[in-house]
Amino acid sequence: MANPSLLMRKTLKSLRNPSILASLSTSHSRRLSSAAPAPSPAQTQADGGPSSSSFEFSGGGGGDKADDAIYVRAPSPKPASASDPSSVTMPMAFMTGSIVGKRFYKQVTTREADDGNGWTVMLDYRTLKTPSKRPLKLPTLALAKAIAAEWEYQQTDGIRPFTMPLMKLACTALERVPLTRPKIIEHLMKKFNQDLVFCRAPEDNVLTSDVHDRQVEKIDPLLDWLKSEFGFQPVLYSSFFGGKQDEGLIKAIENLLKNTDDCELAAIDAMAAAAHSLVIALGIFRGRLQIEGAIELIRLEEDFQVDRWGLVEGGHDLDIADLKVQISSAAVFLALSRRI
């Protein structure tokens, strides 16, 4: 079994690798291009058919394990039949850190969708597909190139889904959000009253007074922004379970979520889950918070304890790395999905 610490460090390192960023702006770098050239007859024959052959993500039996398999159409010049299956199956789990088979493609490209509305990713002239077996149609070329970079940087000995957070978010935005939008918003609003930024450490306790002072310094500016943005004063609680917020504020936040597009809602939901705070996610969404500032607020209390008692290797460091990956990938996905 792979060392989880090593895998997480590699994941974080891959997001900071400047060569990945370079590949997004240089079409010839790492064989990424804005358009996939038409395959030659020899290539078409070698591939076993036209470019409609595809790499597919398969939805399973529902729930959190819906994306548990991927399918690659087997090259076959003849029509598929019951005795001659047209696909092979490999296990797929984005969240477990498992390695899926071996890299089966050589070239990754991007091209405009056939209907001219969006961009798709190609693996050796095979269209990358969503769990419902539709082409992965992305709203911007920048996002398509970023996801193509995730596929291009896979190792030859295996595909590592945990290094493809943008791919996961794209599948969520294109497939799950349209079908479960009301439930996603309902879940976010259900957690809103217990938001991290509304829970304040007691000021009159010697064990928590220093934490309270740090919260006042770091979190109060975000609460002031929340009041100016939506017109309602947030209510703070010393209870870990929070308390009821003003109905006007709740309604304003809910209306904002209802007016988001699918990519925006997917990114907000991912950031809120990682941060335990919808307010912090909305701060990033509205441009009030940058990634590092958001992470500082999320980890404020824990970092205070680390400063006092020290960092536990293999514990705190992995938590920090995981949080940076989740917040950074969602923020990058949000930015790249926006049409400018």
Side-chain angles (χ1 to χ4, degrees), residues 12 15-16 196 214 218-219 222 271 274-277 280-281 283-284 289-304 316-317 319-331:
L12 184 59
L15 290 180
R16 293 180 173 176
L196 173 70
R214 185 174 292 191
K218 300 294 184 179
I219 296 180
L222 182 63
M271 290 187 290
H276 302 289
S277 171
I280 290 177
I284 297 175
L289 285 175
Q290 300 299 314
I291 294 173
E292 291 299 329
I295 292 173
E296 181 182 13
L297 295 185
I298 297 167
R299 290 192 48 80
L300 189 147
E301 293 184 43
E302 189 166 359
D303 283 344
F304 180 84
H316 293 132
D317 52 348
D319 290 341
I320 294 170
D322 180 58
L323 179 63
K324 287 182 177 180
V325 169
Q326 293 186 58
I327 297 296
S328 298
S329 59

Side-chain angles (χ1 to χ4, degrees), residues 150-194:
E150 290 183 332
W151 285 98
E152 179 61 38
Y153 278 84
Q154 295 304 302
Q155 303 298 313
T156 57
D157 64 336
I159 298 171
R160 292 164 171 79
F162 58 89
T163 64
M164 294 189 281
L166 298 180
M167 179 66 193
K168 178 185 176 182
L169 284 166
C171 288
T172 299
L174 294 172
E175 297 296 336
R176 294 183 177 178
V177 173
L179 297 177
T180 61
R181 170 176 281 271
K183 290 185 178 180
I184 292 173
I185 295 176
E186 180 184 359
H187 176 75
L188 288 171
M189 296 311 302
K190 186 179 296 184
K191 299 292 185 180
F192 180 64
N193 288 323
Q194 290 80 42

Side-chain angles (χ1 to χ4, degrees), residues 119-134:
W119 298 83
T120 59
V121 177
M122 309 293 292
L123 305 180
D124 289 343
Y125 307 106
R126 294 169 172 83
T127 304
L128 193 59
K129 292 195 173 184
T130 64
S132 64
K133 300 181 181 180
R134 298 177 180 176

Side-chain angles (χ1 to χ4, degrees), residues 68-292:
D68 58 356
I70 52 177
Y71 296 85
V72 186
R73 290 184 184 274
S76 173
K78 300 178 180 180
S81 64
S83 60
D84 182 22
S86 62
S87 66
V88 293
T89 305
M90 294 184 292
M92 180 67 171
F94 276 111
M95 299 303 292
T96 61
S98 59
I99 298 178
V100 181
K102 292 185 177 182
R103 174 169 170 160
F104 57 88
Y105 55 92
K106 295 181 180 180
Q107 187 178 40
V108 185
T109 57
T110 59
R111 75 174 186 184
E112 192 172 10
D114 293 337
D115 60 3
N117 183 24
W119 298 83
T120 59
V121 177
M122 309 293 292
L123 305 180
D124 289 343
Y125 307 106
R126 294 169 172 83
T127 304
L128 193 59
K129 292 195 173 184
T130 64
S132 64
K133 300 181 181 180
R134 298 177 180 176
L136 188 77
K137 189 182 296 185
L138 303 161
T140 66
L141 176 59
L143 181 57
K145 282 186 173 291
I147 292 176
E150 290 183 332
W151 285 98
E152 179 61 38
Y153 278 84
Q154 295 304 302
Q155 303 298 313
T156 57
D157 64 336
I159 298 171
R160 292 164 171 79
F162 58 89
T163 64
M164 294 189 281
L166 298 180
M167 179 66 193
K168 178 185 176 182
L169 284 166
C171 288
T172 299
L174 294 172
E175 297 296 336
R176 294 183 177 178
V177 173
L179 297 177
T180 61
R181 170 176 281 271
K183 290 185 178 180
I184 292 173
I185 295 176
E186 180 184 359
H187 176 75
L188 288 171
M189 296 311 302
K190 186 179 296 184
K191 299 292 185 180
F192 180 64
N193 288 323
Q194 290 80 42
D195 198 287
L196 173 70
V197 301
F198 299 147
C199 299
R200 187 58 53 91
E203 182 180 9
D204 56 355
N205 189 310
V206 66
L207 298 177
T208 59
S209 59
D210 290 342
V211 176
H212 176 275
D213 293 342
R214 185 174 292 191
Q215 289 175 326
V216 170
E217 176 189 358
K218 300 294 184 179
I219 296 180
D220 276 11
L222 182 63
L223 297 177
D224 293 339
W225 166 81
L226 190 68
K227 178 183 178 181
S228 64
E229 187 81 1
F230 298 101
F232 298 93
Q233 178 67 48
V235 182
L236 304 183
Y237 297 89
S238 58
S239 169
F240 177 78
F241 299 101
K244 188 70 173 177
Q245 291 296 317
D246 190 289
E247 285 295 334
L249 179 59
I250 293 174
K251 191 66 176 179
I253 297 294
E254 186 175 8
N255 287 337
L256 182 151
L257 295 176
K258 288 180 179 179
N259 289 325
T260 57
D261 63 35
D262 293 338
C263 288
E264 290 172 339
L265 186 56
I268 290 172
D269 185 46
M271 290 187 290
H276 302 289
S277 171
L278 177 57
V279 176
I280 290 177
L282 293 179
I284 297 175
F285 173 67
R286 284 293 183 91
R288 176 60 180 80
L289 285 175
Q290 300 299 314
I291 294 173
E292 291 299 329

